[in-house]
Amino acid sequence: MTKLTFAALCAAFISTAAGAAELTIAVDGVASNDGQIMVAVYDSADGFPARPVRAASAPARSGAMRLKIADLPAGDYAFAIYHDANGNNRLDRNAVGMPTEDFAFSNNALGERGAPRFEDARVTLPAEGAVASVNLR
């Protein structure tokens, strides 16, 4: 590898790392220590809520907890979060499709008959990072 190639790779890495931000999600209303808290992050209305750009999980802790999503480029995002209390890695629903496990969307946004619009759930993530709070219901 030449010095020029190595220098270019280093510069690309530094510029990528410098643009990375951390989204901290403060979650209230976790009903129990059972299962996992699952989160999916979306970067556009086109992908919301079907194609997340990032997904993460953490063991549930009753009451309030925080999840951190690192290395996101600064920009606009929305997220969906739920408490997978039974540990089956999916949001359980009843016979008519209503969730039977606690969930929330960023900004505590609500949809009329399903997920809210991306614009209603959108949070802006600056380069220095941000904290977004939600209440599971």
Side-chain angles (χ1 to χ4, degrees):
M1 180 180 301
T2 68
K3 287 182 183 180
L4 182 58
T5 304
F6 180 73
L9 285 173
C10 287
F13 176 75
I14 291 168
S15 66
T16 300
E22 182 174 88
L23 175 62
T24 301
I25 302 170
V27 185
D28 283 323
V30 180
S32 72
N33 291 331
D34 297 331
Q36 301 277 317
I37 300 298
M38 312 289 270
V39 62
V41 180
Y42 306 87
D43 66 355
S44 71
D46 291 338
F48 182 73
R51 294 182 307 277
V53 294
R54 188 79 58 86
S57 65
R61 280 182 291 167
S62 182
M65 59 183 289
R66 288 179 172 242
L67 288 94
K68 294 182 185 252
I69 311 296
D71 298 325
L72 290 170
D76 290 335
Y77 295 92
F79 60 85
I81 189 166
Y82 72 96
H83 182 184
D84 181 22
N86 63 5
N88 67 353
N89 294 319
R90 65 180 180 164
L91 177 63
D92 294 332
R93 299 173 185 269
N94 64 18
V96 294
M98 297 295 296
T100 58
E101 293 179 303
D102 294 340
F103 70 97
F105 292 95
S106 42
N107 293 331
N108 289 311
L110 296 172
E112 288 186 30
R113 290 188 182 93
R117 298 177 321 131
F118 180 84
E119 293 75 22
D120 295 334
R122 181 177 55 221
V123 294
T124 298
L125 180 64
E128 61 271 8
V131 177
S133 299
V134 295
N135 297 307
L136 291 177
R137 53 183 170 282

